[in-house]
Amino acid sequence: MSTLIEEMNERALKTGTPLSVQFDVTYRCNERCVHCYLDHDDHGELTAQEIMGVLAQLAEAGVFFLCFSGGEVLMRRDFFQILEYARSLLFCVKIKTNAFMIRENEADRLCELGVQSLQVSIYSHRPEVHDAITKLPGSLKRSIAGIRLLRKRGMRVVIANVLMRQNLEDYLGVVALAKELGAEYTVDPTITPRMDGDRSILRWGVGPRELERVFRTPELVGNVEKVCAPPEAVDDDIRDGLPCSASHTFCYISPYGDVYPCVQFPLPTGNVRRQKFLEIWNDSPQMNEVRSIRGRDLTTCSSCAHLGTCSRCPGLAYMEGNVRGPSTQDCEKSLARTGIPSAHMLAKAAGSQRAWAGSGLVQIAGLQQAT
């Protein structure tokens, strides 16, 4: 299957086809997770009819993989109407949900409609930790009950665990919970800035020593030697490579119709209420600007030994101020994995030393003058 997906991706790259789209149908949510990057108020969501009109455009554009997310998708009472239409268009549908609102009827319908997989956020196997993060009492119990109903029907469930300071000691417990439920498990130590640029929630992110421990835990990363191996030599193929799939084979649509290169890349490129999707995909200056960037075009990163193995996110770099610049969070991950600082981190350290030396000279000169 992976070979087929790789072939589909290669063909999509050659033809400029948007193979995958994440469509957030609402930002409303019954949880209020402390690290969430969204504004949960409704500022004028697309109607079900508008969404279905966009889905028809996506099908015409060649989209195959469609991920419905939010907020919490089931906060929309018309979600199953939207989902049914999406499946009639033969999209391969994945859903991100907290599973809190999934009961027998919802589980039956999801199974009947042939949803490919559901990703459920679980932050801890301990209710006092998980519920403190979601700020919704009883949320762990309800989410686990929803997962059991889905697994009872043979549906594929992936438990997603965002690591942060509050749940850092619980990831092995969540791994064990996933095994008990017959679910898959994925972990992510990245806390994303809010979509309005607010970076205050980054304080929940884990520190360098904790990251090192995460990357050296086989239950989380698999082959530790491979994951933590030193970076390989950078050649022209790597320098000519694409930073990621954003705007190449993937994009993101918000509940208000705004189109972005990625959910973590809040660069506006157009709105499906005012333009056809393919017009935005093909002709947006912002989309085409992102598409033009290659590894060799990245400031600092182009000369970095980690260029070929770094998980650098252009969206995170954009939110730091430069889409062609480094993502500090990803530099920290590379250091935690390999023990080798990135070119960006070395440059920052050198700059700090120069600033320190400069301030010292000024202080000494001031003392001499005062004397």
Side-chain angles (χ1 to χ4, degrees):
M1 179 64 74
S2 60
T3 302
L4 175 59
I5 293 175
E6 288 171 5
E7 291 177 1
M8 292 173 67
N9 192 62
E10 289 177 8
R11 183 175 179 83
L13 277 173
K14 290 178 181 178
T15 59
T17 301
L19 184 63
S20 304
V21 168
Q22 176 170 322
F23 202 147
D24 282 4
V25 294
T26 184
Y27 285 158
R28 289 174 288 137
C29 192
N30 48 354
E31 297 182 338
R32 288 295 182 270
C33 298
V34 297
H35 63 291
C36 187
Y37 54 86
L38 297 174
D39 171 2
H40 294 299
D41 293 330
D42 181 358
H43 299 287
E45 296 171 353
L46 296 168
T47 66
Q49 290 302 315
E50 286 178 310
I51 290 175
M52 290 189 285
V54 175
L55 293 179
Q57 293 180 45
L58 298 182
E60 182 181 358
V63 173
F64 181 73
F65 298 105
L66 180 65
C67 177
F68 284 127
S69 184
E72 169 52 47
V73 295
L74 292 176
M75 293 293 286
R76 290 194 67 127
R77 295 185 178 182
D78 54 10
F79 177 67
F80 282 105
Q81 177 187 0
I82 294 168
L83 176 59
E84 183 175 355
Y85 184 70
R87 289 295 294 132
S88 75
L89 295 174
L90 302 182
F91 290 115
C92 177
V93 174
K94 301 179 181 181
I95 295 174
K96 294 181 181 180
T97 174
N98 57 38
F100 186 98
M101 301 170 71
I102 293 178
R103 296 288 193 272
E104 295 280 355
N105 289 341
E106 288 79 13
D108 284 341
R109 198 76 184 105
L110 291 166
C111 184
E112 290 167 2
L113 288 170
V115 172
Q116 196 268 338
S117 66
L118 295 101
Q119 178 176 300
V120 181
S121 296
I122 299 291
Y123 303 110
S124 172
H125 61 297
R126 295 185 293 158
E128 63 270 24
V129 176
H130 177 92
D131 294 2
I133 290 173
T134 65
K135 297 184 180 180
L136 181 61
S139 56
L140 178 62
K141 181 179 180 179
R142 291 278 295 267
S143 292
I144 290 176
I147 293 172
R148 291 190 190 281
L149 290 173
L150 296 169
R151 290 296 302 134
K152 182 179 178 182
R153 289 155 177 79
M155 301 195 70
R156 181 188 174 200
V157 176
V158 180
I159 287 179
N161 185 10
V162 177
L163 288 186
M164 59 194 93
R165 295 185 185 278
Q166 299 95 315
N167 66 348
L168 183 61
E169 301 304 321
D170 292 0
Y171 53 76
L172 291 181
V174 181
V175 170
L177 176 63
K179 289 181 179 178
E180 176 199 333
L181 295 171
E184 299 171 38
Y185 174 87
T186 181
V187 62
D188 187 357
T190 304
I191 303 294
T192 304
R194 289 178 61 88
M195 293 191 77
D196 61 5
D198 180 1
R199 303 180 66 81
S200 64
I201 59 176
L202 298 185
R203 69 184 183 276
W204 302 120
V206 299
R209 291 184 180 178
E210 291 82 4
L211 273 178
E212 287 183 28
R213 180 152 55 101
V214 167
F215 284 118
R216 283 158 183 76
T217 303
E219 292 87 347
L220 299 183
V221 301
N223 188 332
V224 173
E225 290 186 5
K226 182 178 179 180
V227 171
C228 297
E232 299 179 358
V234 176
D235 56 24
D236 285 340
D237 285 343
I238 292 174
R239 293 189 183 92
D240 290 332
L242 305 176
C244 74
S245 63
S247 82
H248 293 281
T249 60
F250 175 85
C251 72
Y252 163 70
I253 304 175
S254 82
Y256 311 118
D258 297 307
V259 181
Y260 301 97
C262 178
V263 66
Q264 292 186 169
F265 198 158
L267 172 67
T269 65
N271 187 288
V272 292
R273 276 177 163 153
R274 297 186 291 273
Q275 298 167 270
K276 296 293 186 182
F277 172 78
L278 268 181
E279 291 177 8
I280 300 170
W281 178 259
N282 290 327
D283 303 327
S284 163
Q286 295 84 1
M287 281 283 191
N288 287 319
E289 172 69 11
V290 174
R291 285 190 190 112
S292 71
I293 301 173
R294 297 295 183 271
R296 65 175 68 254
D297 301 320
L298 304 176
T299 57
T300 309
C301 300
S302 60
S303 61
C304 183
H306 291 284
L307 181 63
T309 56
C310 180
S311 60
R312 176 190 176 274
C313 171
L316 293 178
Y318 171 76
M319 285 189 275
E320 285 191 35
N322 184 1
V323 69
R324 286 179 166 80
S327 158
T328 300
Q329 285 178 275
D330 290 310
C331 289
E332 291 171 351
K333 289 181 196 174
S334 292
L335 175 62
R337 284 191 301 105
T338 67
I340 300 171
S342 68
H344 173 54
M345 298 183 83
L346 292 172
K348 283 181 66 176
S352 297
Q353 288 179 344
R354 287 194 296 271
W356 177 84
S359 63
L361 289 171
V362 169
Q363 185 178 14
I364 292 170
L367 288 172
Q368 288 174 338
Q369 186 177 5
T371 303

